Amino acid sequence: CWRRSRRQQQQQGECASHHEAPELSQPCAASLQSLTVRALFLSIAALASSCGPLPFTTEMKGEAVIQGSPLGQFFNVFPPLSGFANFDFDSNQDFKNNDATRALVRSMKVTSLTLRIVSPPSQDFSFLESLEFAAKSGDLEEKIASKAGIDMLGLAAPNPTLKLDVVNVDLAAFVRAPTMSIITRGTGHQPAQETRVEATVKFQVGL
């Protein structure tokens, strides 16, 4: 009888160990949760500090007027765009919002460059054959975007937008210079009417 009783107690103990899980008291559970949240926060902070400031985007806009002529005379000089000459990124609002200065820029690349016909709305891009944009600072110059065969793309009115092919080039040296300009070169034939165009350049900036 003693052996049977002893064995039954052992079996009951095994069953209890399988079905009963240890429970933490409420203070212990709260402390464990707090430690977990704190460890996660410290990990995120360490990762952010090791990666440095996050890159941000900024953009520039400029306009130009192309003189019209019913004769459609050939041209090989594209008019300069207002707002694209001798600008300083220290006055750029996106730089200010990110506590950035041009001296801190480690990399800066063009992500897109578009040209849109603003007026007249009936004008298309059939007058323009090729177009090139370049960054310039002093004697330093670098092509940033271009497009050829524009008149064959079928970009019809009203107010069509041309997307240029961007060059993967780092412009950090230009941005850190006292001033920087974006110049244009183009070929085509004068449109029948005076035509106003707007260019938009978007950049990604790394500090």
Side-chain angles (χ1 to χ4, degrees):
C1 293
W2 179 84
R3 290 179 180 175
R4 186 180 300 117
S5 175
R6 178 86 172 183
R7 187 173 182 180
Q8 289 175 348
Q9 289 177 0
Q10 291 176 346
Q11 290 177 345
Q12 290 175 355
E14 291 174 356
C15 291
S17 65
H18 284 299
H19 292 287
E20 295 180 3
E23 295 184 0
L24 294 174
S25 63
Q26 287 186 347
C28 289
S31 177
L32 180 60
Q33 184 178 14
S34 176
L35 288 173
T36 302
V37 172
R38 184 180 179 186
L40 179 61
F41 176 80
L42 290 174
S43 298
I44 294 173
L47 180 62
S49 62
S50 65
C51 294
L54 294 175
F56 63 93
T57 59
T58 187
E59 71 175 34
M60 296 178 58
K61 291 181 179 290
E63 290 192 355
V65 175
I66 303 164
Q67 295 300 319
S69 170
L71 301 177
Q73 294 178 326
F74 177 80
F75 68 83
N76 58 7
V77 177
F78 198 84
L81 291 145
S82 63
F84 278 17
N86 299 322
F87 52 85
D88 181 356
F89 277 100
D90 281 345
S91 60
N92 180 284
Q93 189 59 50
D94 293 318
F95 271 64
K96 294 178 180 179
N97 293 343
N98 287 275
D99 296 323
T101 64
R102 56 184 172 82
L104 297 175
V105 173
R106 298 177 60 186
S107 68
M108 185 163 174
K109 295 185 176 183
V110 176
T111 57
S112 74
L113 201 160
T114 58
L115 186 74
R116 183 176 71 92
I117 292 180
V118 178
S119 65
S122 58
Q123 181 63 54
D124 58 24
F125 273 109
S126 60
F127 71 94
L128 191 60
E129 296 177 2
S130 67
L131 188 61
E132 177 182 305
F133 284 74
K136 185 175 177 60
S137 180
D139 295 331
L140 192 62
E141 183 178 316
E142 193 76 59
K143 184 170 75 171
I144 59 174
S146 64
K147 196 73 174 180
I150 299 170
D151 54 334
M152 304 298 291
L153 295 177
L155 300 173
N159 307 108
T161 296
L162 167 68
K163 185 176 182 180
L164 283 81
D165 300 324
V166 172
V167 180
N168 184 22
V169 59
D170 193 349
L171 301 176
F174 293 86
V175 178
R176 290 194 296 263
T179 59
M180 169 182 164
S181 299
I182 294 179
I183 60 174
T184 55
R185 298 183 179 96
T187 61
H189 293 81
Q190 286 182 285
Q193 305 176 68
E194 182 179 272
T195 301
R196 185 161 59 97
V197 296
E198 179 189 60
T200 302
V201 189
K202 295 184 179 181
F203 304 90
Q204 184 174 56
V205 185
L207 303 179

